[in-house]
Amino acid sequence: LPSLSESVLRGDRNAISRAISSVENEDANYRTLVSELYSHTGSAFIVGITGPPGTGKSSLVGLLVKKYREKGKRVAVLAVDPTSPISGGAILGDRVRMLEHSLDPDVYIRSMASRGSEGGLSRVSRNAVRILDAAGFDVIFVETVGIGQTEVDIVRIADVVVVVLMPELGDEIQAAKAGLMEIGDIFAVNKSDLPGADKVVYNLGTILSTNDAGWRQVALKVSAKRSSGTDDLVEALEKYRGSLGESKVYRARKRLVDELLEKVSEAIARDLSKRLSQDQEFDSLVEKLVRLQIDPDTAASEILSKYYLHFPSN
Amino acid sequence: LPSLSESVLRGDRNAISRAISSVENEDANYRTLVSELYSHTGSAFIVGITGPPGTGKSSLVGLLVKKYREKGKRVAVLAVDPTSPISGGAILGDRVRMLEHSLDPDVYIRSMASRGSEGGLSRVSRNAVRILDAAGFDVIFVETVGIGQTEVDIVRIADVVVVVLMPELGDEIQAAKAGLMEIGDIFAVNKSDLPGADKVVYNLGTILSTNDAGWRQVALKVSAKRSSGTDDLVEALEKYRGSLGESKVYRARKRLVDELLEKVSEAIARDLSKRLSQDQEFDSLVEKLVRLQIDPDTAASEILSKYYLHFPSN
């Protein structure tokens, strides 16, 4: 029998699903699985799609899937939902609109729930993307609601980030939009049949900037409802992809350094938390904190000097 | 001249503002400041207010401030906005509705921007609350938009969490609501003049649960617009406060353990990141990762065994 990773590499849908469940649940085998697949990654074009709630991201992704299928590309969609760890699995919601692709063997769609764990979600998404990449998908869309730092962080695993906006966003959404300006490479103003779309694109135009790889942010109008503007969007995506060149390695390196630091910090935090729960000195430190006899920074220093090899730094 | 912390303890507004700016910017003096004030904290009732965008949290907080002022309490509001680190300071938006309190010397209102740093925001909010607590405010409202794990985490620093909902929320907002069910102690269905409010309260009623301190979640209707229901909300808050008793210490301990672990992990991550940036072995490890010759988990293990005293755990 072939191993799970061998089946994933052959593009076996059932194996892909099982592999993603494995990284989603972070079960006993997931690290081995990702290790085995890692050397087979790096070919896919990873497109992050984010934006405030209700801007029609899923419908737009549905259209992009169609466009890339017309080009003969194998396409995967990873939809990450901010749902509850209690209520469990991701809601499908808008994703029913992608049903038309559900019988196409070259399209793979998967929803994932956020389960409330902060770092966990980007880690899980990153590993799920690796599975899809190793499985040979040419384009992988990672879709998430773009409010909140965690959700925004998820799209940082992508090669390119499309921020989906629309006319007539509320006050608080406008505020969140500001945070989205930094992470977007392409801004798609969806629902451009609504009044005010031109104004939004115009306003965006005044604040677009050029990133450190020389890419100038782009703003364009789309309408998922009228299926208009998606050719322009695909063209912008491909232009971006073409512009990556050498900087793709630069960006990959940057992402890997971040991931490595994150992994190491998490492992230390996990290990430390286990050790401290069995450490009576720690108990009495916490007791002193509760009684306001010591402050949190002093307490933290005491733990650091006991457990961390290189602390205090000087 | 009195020190900044002495002036904060005397309730000097100017000093409070400077102290909060100090923790917000995490400048050279902020740790000392928080250390000096820490032993004077623990008296305030800290009320977290969160909920999806557009549910009218700020207006409701405005009314709650009024109610607590009528009881003769000194009240502070910390409003945390998910704005951009580039665009800078927090937008005031709805907060202009709180203008009526701006001349009251016993009300202090402060907006803070999220600056994009994940852990940073809860750390900064926690320290800002400590300043307000030490300055003698009886009730401190911490208000934040409740979508996204980071924003939700902020209200975990509170003694009680009020989740503000409303009738007619969109699909994606509904999904976020699920995550809010776990953190809320009291659910306030605002805009109860809109159709469907009773249905929302009824639906909430079917999923309310009892927490580990024995508190049964409460759902009630309010209308900031019609100033109705706020007496019930204040009553629920006070009932909650009364129920805390011994468990206040239990919860404080839990929060402090979390904070301690967070502080230690952050300090290690910071120190490690500095050391690795000067470590040539790390450079070649990253190079191998980029060339897919080693996988991230193996690379992380190598760093851990070099830098962390107690790793690998066994």
Side-chain angles (χ1 to χ4, degrees):
Chain A
L1 264 170
S3 71
L4 183 54
S5 54
E6 281 164 352
S7 301
V8 167
L9 289 173
R10 277 196 279 103
D12 177 331
R13 293 176 76 88
N14 187 15
I16 295 168
S17 296
R18 276 190 297 138
I20 294 182
S21 296
S22 172
V23 303
E24 196 179 16
N25 301 322
E26 305 210 322
D27 68 14
N29 306 311
Y30 96 95
R31 282 175 204 273
T32 316
L33 182 67
V34 175
S35 296
E36 286 169 359
L37 294 174
Y38 183 71
S39 65
H40 301 275
T41 63
S43 323
F45 183 37
I46 302 157
V47 180
I49 308 268
T50 192
T55 52
K57 291 175 289 298
S58 297
S59 312
L60 194 59
V61 170
L63 285 175
L64 288 171
V65 169
K66 203 170 166 183
K67 292 287 172 195
Y68 274 100
R69 284 300 298 128
E70 284 167 13
K71 289 168 175 276
K73 304 291 183 188
R74 296 185 64 215
V75 185
V77 178
L78 199 65
V80 188
D81 278 317
T83 40
S84 150
I86 287 175
S87 64
I91 44 128
L92 285 164
D94 280 346
R95 268 142 221 144
V96 288
R97 292 183 212 159
M98 284 193 220
L99 269 183
E100 59 170 305
H101 301 296
S102 64
L103 295 175
D104 183 341
D106 290 317
V107 176
Y108 181 89
I109 298 171
R110 171 79 173 226
S111 285
M112 287 198 323
S114 80
R115 5 190 101 239
S117 72
E118 253 190 74
L121 194 51
S122 11
R123 189 172 60 228
V124 166
S125 309
R126 197 190 280 128
N127 286 331
V129 164
R130 279 179 179 147
I131 289 164
L132 296 166
D133 190 345
F137 288 101
D138 301 302
V139 184
I140 301 168
F141 293 101
V142 181
E143 180 201 336
T144 179
V145 179
I147 287 196
Q149 194 57 42
T150 312
E151 288 67 27
V152 166
D153 277 349
I154 293 162
V155 295
R156 290 192 203 259
I157 63 176
D159 292 317
V160 59
V161 174
V162 178
V163 171
V164 184
L165 299 169
M166 59 175 274
E168 302 174 352
L169 292 169
D171 265 8
E172 288 176 302
I173 300 281
Q174 287 295 349
K177 207 184 79 178
L180 295 173
M181 284 311 297
E182 295 147 57
I183 61 155
D185 300 302
I186 297 168
F187 298 88
V189 180
N190 198 10
K191 309 196 183 183
S192 59
D193 47 312
L194 292 180
D198 286 311
K199 198 178 153 206
V200 176
V201 173
Y202 174 82
N203 286 341
L204 282 170
T206 63
I207 49 173
L208 298 177
S209 61
T210 303
N211 73 14
D212 54 4
W215 171 261
R216 174 125 188 115
Q217 290 176 321
V218 173
L220 42 83
K221 281 195 298 183
V222 291
S223 170
K225 195 171 149 197
R226 296 184 181 173
S227 302
S228 72
T230 38
D231 283 329
D232 294 345
L233 180 51
V234 169
E235 199 183 305
L237 282 169
E238 288 304 310
K239 197 175 156 199
Y240 184 92
R241 188 182 198 174
S243 83
L244 278 173
E246 264 305 294
S247 73
K248 178 152 186 174
V249 176
Y250 165 74
R251 292 188 159 208
R253 181 177 289 118
K254 231 169 130 179
R255 281 201 301 253
L256 285 165
V257 168
D258 286 349
E259 181 182 358
L260 219 45
L261 287 174
E262 201 182 295
K263 266 184 194 300
V264 171
S265 304
E266 274 167 13
I268 292 179
R270 241 188 341 261
D271 183 65
L272 202 57
S273 161
K274 211 175 73 190
R275 282 170 200 285
L276 290 174
S277 70
Q278 297 154 357
D279 182 345
Q280 293 196 341
E281 271 177 52
F282 179 68
D283 283 347
S284 63
L285 210 56
V286 172
E287 207 45 47
K288 276 199 219 163
L289 261 178
V290 172
R291 289 163 193 248
L292 309 174
Q293 291 161 351
I294 187 177
D295 66 278
D297 267 312
T298 309
S301 303
E302 291 195 15
I303 299 169
L304 280 167
S305 56
K306 182 170 175 183
Y307 284 97
Y308 182 57
L309 192 58
H310 290 281
F311 222 83
S313 95
N314 44 28
Chain B
L1 264 170
S3 71
L4 184 54
S5 53
E6 280 165 353
S7 302
V8 167
L9 288 172
R10 277 196 280 103
D12 177 330
R13 292 177 77 86
N14 188 14
I16 295 168
S17 294
R18 276 190 298 137
I20 294 181
S21 296
S22 172
V23 303
E24 195 179 17
N25 301 323
E26 306 211 322
D27 67 15
N29 307 313
Y30 97 95
R31 280 174 204 275
T32 315
L33 182 67
V34 175
S35 296
E36 285 169 359
L37 294 175
Y38 183 72
S39 66
H40 301 273
T41 63
S43 323
F45 183 38
I46 302 157
V47 181
I49 308 268
T50 191
T55 51
K57 291 175 289 299
S58 297
S59 312
L60 194 59
V61 170
L63 284 176
L64 288 172
V65 169
K66 202 170 166 183
K67 291 286 170 194
Y68 274 101
R69 284 299 299 129
E70 285 166 12
K71 290 166 174 278
K73 304 290 183 188
R74 297 185 63 217
V75 184
V77 178
L78 199 65
V80 188
D81 278 318
T83 39
S84 151
I86 286 176
S87 64
I91 44 127
L92 285 166
D94 281 346
R95 267 143 222 143
V96 289
R97 295 186 207 156
M98 284 193 220
L99 270 182
E100 59 170 305
H101 301 296
S102 64
L103 295 176
D104 183 338
D106 290 317
V107 175
Y108 181 89
I109 297 171
R110 171 80 173 226
S111 286
M112 288 199 321
S114 81
R115 6 190 100 238
S117 72
E118 255 190 71
L121 195 49
S122 12
R123 189 173 59 228
V124 166
S125 309
R126 196 190 280 127
N127 286 332
V129 164
R130 280 180 179 145
I131 289 164
L132 295 166
D133 190 345
F137 288 100
D138 301 302
V139 183
I140 302 168
F141 292 100
V142 181
E143 180 201 336
T144 179
V145 179
I147 288 198
Q149 195 56 45
T150 312
E151 288 68 26
V152 166
D153 277 350
I154 293 162
V155 294
R156 290 192 203 261
I157 64 177
D159 292 318
V160 59
V161 174
V162 179
V163 171
V164 184
L165 299 169
M166 59 176 274
E168 302 174 352
L169 292 167
D171 265 7
E172 288 176 303
I173 300 282
Q174 287 295 350
K177 208 184 77 180
L180 295 173
M181 284 311 297
E182 295 148 58
I183 61 155
D185 301 303
I186 297 168
F187 297 88
V189 180
N190 197 11
K191 309 196 182 182
S192 59
D193 46 313
L194 292 180
D198 286 311
K199 199 178 154 206
V200 176
V201 172
Y202 174 82
N203 286 340
L204 282 169
T206 63
I207 50 173
L208 297 176
S209 61
T210 303
N211 72 14
D212 53 4
W215 171 262
R216 173 124 188 116
Q217 291 175 321
V218 173
L220 40 83
K221 280 195 299 183
V222 291
S223 170
K225 196 172 148 195
R226 297 183 181 172
S227 302
S228 72
T230 39
D231 283 328
D232 294 344
L233 180 51
V234 169
E235 198 182 305
L237 281 169
E238 288 304 311
K239 196 175 156 199
Y240 185 92
R241 189 180 198 175
S243 83
L244 277 174
E246 265 304 295
S247 73
K248 180 153 184 173
V249 175
Y250 165 75
R251 292 190 160 210
R253 182 177 289 118
K254 231 169 131 179
R255 281 200 302 254
L256 285 164
V257 168
D258 286 349
E259 180 181 359
L260 220 45
L261 287 175
E262 200 182 297
K263 267 187 192 300
V264 170
S265 304
E266 274 167 15
I268 292 179
R270 243 189 340 263
D271 184 64
L272 202 57
S273 161
K274 211 175 73 192
R275 282 170 199 285
L276 290 175
S277 70
Q278 297 155 356
D279 181 344
Q280 293 195 340
E281 270 177 51
F282 179 68
D283 284 347
S284 62
L285 210 55
V286 172
E287 206 48 45
K288 277 198 217 165
L289 260 178
V290 172
R291 290 164 193 246
L292 308 174
Q293 291 162 351
I294 188 178
D295 66 278
D297 267 312
T298 309
S301 304
E302 290 195 15
I303 298 169
L304 280 167
S305 56
K306 182 171 175 182
Y307 284 97
Y308 182 56
L309 193 58
H310 290 281
F311 221 83
S313 94
N314 45 29

